[in-house]
Amino acid sequence: MEYRFCGKSGLQLPLISLGMWHNFGYTDKFATMKEIAFKAFERGITHFDLANNYGPPPGSAEENFGKLLKEGLGAHRDEIIVSSKAGHLMWDGPYGDGGSRKYMMASLHQSLKRTGLEYFDIFYSHRYCPETPLEETVQTLIDIVKQGKALYVGLSKYPIDKAEEACAMMREQHVKCLIYQDRYSMLSRKPETGYFEMLEKEGLGFIAFSPLAQGLLTNRYLNGIPEDSRVAKSGVFLHREDITPELIAKIKKLNDIAAQREQTLAEMSLAWLLAKKGVTSVIIGASSVKQLEDNLKATDNIVFSPEELAAIEAILKEE
């Protein structure tokens, strides 16, 4: 595994991080989770990405991660990075969502209790909350670091101007924002709209979630929508109507380029992100050890020729 320094900090993150958004809740088999997490660590994945509401149900991913720590991973606590977040709806009532100090602190304490940890390595504000004064959310993050409940703090899915404001507030109190997390893939390119320039100026690292666009950038949808796919089962994050013939045609062309590179579409999609200047790490999900191992193959070749990049760009720009 290769590691990259996270922005202008001394912390290194692996190229591939393991996310626990799905596949680590009570609806999944604990034995499988354990196999995946232990194999990930064995292969050099030192960063495990959580949030208060990951599961399903919300909270269960953190509780299961706490069990993984007790079953052996905890012996390596100082060799791993554990991140969690608060910002989205977690419990009913006015204090279970948003960016208030009340919610952020209560959620942090719940998350520490669920995992059994004394501190998180990284704690994020999971989203910008326009109803909460930015100063309140940022001061809470600063205090979380100063109280020793997190070593570093990060921001996720913030507008550029609000992220810049937050970074400036933290600097004033000698707490540096470490990292910015957002959705990024070949099919979702928001971070390219000024974010990377801002992050370089502020000295933040960048970590991508949904790098395979909820499975679209794999071989799953090359021949239509499989009955056992996420779209067919739930349709929550991917909608059947979004998977158009035009999109399938694009994915097939990308798959052809991947084949020429002797990679799967998933491997090439992850490699394409890792080849981008400013990307520190990408967060993958995994439902099996095989899927984990397959995704790790992406790191074998993250070099693209100018011709390959131009061909990929031409496909992505097709209407």
Side-chain angles (χ1 to χ4, degrees):
M1 178 60 69
E2 182 185 331
Y3 300 83
R4 289 177 178 173
F5 282 99
C6 191
K8 292 175 183 171
S9 80
L11 185 72
Q12 298 180 65
L13 294 180
L15 294 188
I16 303 287
S17 298
L18 183 63
M20 298 183 168
W21 183 18
H22 299 294
N23 306 318
F24 284 82
Y26 290 154
T27 55
D28 302 283
K29 290 182 179 177
F30 184 77
T32 305
M33 292 175 216
K34 186 175 177 180
E35 283 179 16
I36 294 168
F38 282 38
K39 177 57 72 173
F41 180 64
E42 184 184 304
R43 291 293 308 274
I45 293 180
T46 51
H47 179 213
F48 299 89
D49 184 76
L50 292 153
N52 57 356
N53 60 346
Y54 288 179
S60 59
E62 287 183 330
E63 290 196 359
N64 281 327
F65 188 75
K67 290 179 189 174
L68 292 172
L69 290 170
K70 286 178 182 174
E71 299 221 357
L73 200 57
H76 305 279
R77 175 66 184 98
D78 294 333
E79 300 168 68
I80 61 175
I81 300 294
V82 186
S83 60
S84 195
K85 317 176 192 73
H88 288 292
L89 179 64
M90 182 59 193
W91 63 85
D92 292 338
Y95 316 120
D97 192 5
S100 73
R101 183 180 183 87
K102 167 70 173 173
Y103 168 59
M104 297 286 287
M105 280 295 190
S107 184
L108 167 70
H109 292 142
Q110 286 185 18
S111 293
L112 288 172
K113 188 175 180 181
R114 279 192 288 267
T115 56
L117 293 169
E118 294 180 2
Y119 66 91
F120 286 110
D121 296 283
I122 306 170
F123 192 76
Y124 289 87
S125 170
H126 206 170
R127 69 176 177 101
Y128 170 64
C129 176
E131 295 81 22
T132 307
L134 185 61
E135 295 85 349
E136 181 175 344
T137 304
V138 173
Q139 186 63 52
T140 306
L141 292 174
I142 291 167
D143 291 345
I144 285 169
V145 171
K146 291 190 173 181
Q147 291 171 13
K149 292 167 184 170
L151 303 184
Y152 303 90
V153 286
L155 304 172
S156 179
K157 308 191 296 277
Y158 268 56
I160 289 180
D161 59 333
K162 299 302 179 185
E164 286 180 313
E165 282 183 55
C167 288
M169 288 179 202
M170 291 187 208
R171 264 198 311 274
E172 285 173 10
Q173 295 194 46
H174 308 289
V175 170
K176 188 180 177 302
C177 189
L178 174 80
I179 192 167
Y180 180 81
Q181 181 176 139
D182 214 333
R183 185 185 308 274
Y184 189 30
S185 72
M186 285 184 179
L187 301 179
S188 182
R189 301 175 69 177
K190 179 184 122 185
E192 295 174 12
T193 60
Y195 278 84
F196 285 125
E197 291 82 354
M198 179 272 290
L199 296 174
E200 184 174 16
K201 178 170 73 76
E202 297 289 348
L204 274 66
F206 176 83
I207 187 164
F209 72 82
S210 293
L212 301 179
Q214 296 292 316
L216 284 175
L217 292 169
T218 68
N219 59 10
R220 294 278 282 158
Y221 297 94
L222 290 174
N223 300 301
I225 301 173
E227 283 311 306
D228 64 343
S229 67
R230 197 174 285 175
V231 177
K233 283 181 176 177
S234 67
V236 175
F237 301 105
L238 266 183
H239 304 287
R240 194 177 285 268
E241 59 270 22
D242 295 333
I243 304 176
T244 61
E246 293 79 13
L247 179 59
I248 295 295
K250 270 190 191 183
I251 292 169
K252 284 184 175 179
K253 288 177 185 176
L254 292 170
N255 189 57
D256 290 341
I257 295 178
Q260 290 164 22
R261 286 172 52 83
E262 297 185 345
Q263 289 181 313
T264 64
L265 177 55
E267 287 168 35
M268 184 181 81
S269 299
L270 294 171
W272 183 84
L273 289 174
L274 291 168
K276 291 284 185 181
K277 185 176 182 289
V279 173
T280 311
S281 180
V282 298
I283 299 170
I284 61 160
S287 58
S288 66
V289 168
K290 183 183 185 306
Q291 197 176 68
L292 173 76
E293 296 274 18
D294 288 347
N295 285 339
L296 280 167
K297 290 175 188 171
T299 61
D300 294 342
N301 181 13
I302 59 173
V303 177
F304 289 78
S305 70
E307 293 76 19
E308 286 173 329
L309 291 174
I312 289 169
E313 200 61 37
I315 292 166
L316 295 175
K317 285 182 175 175
E318 288 176 3
E319 292 299 325

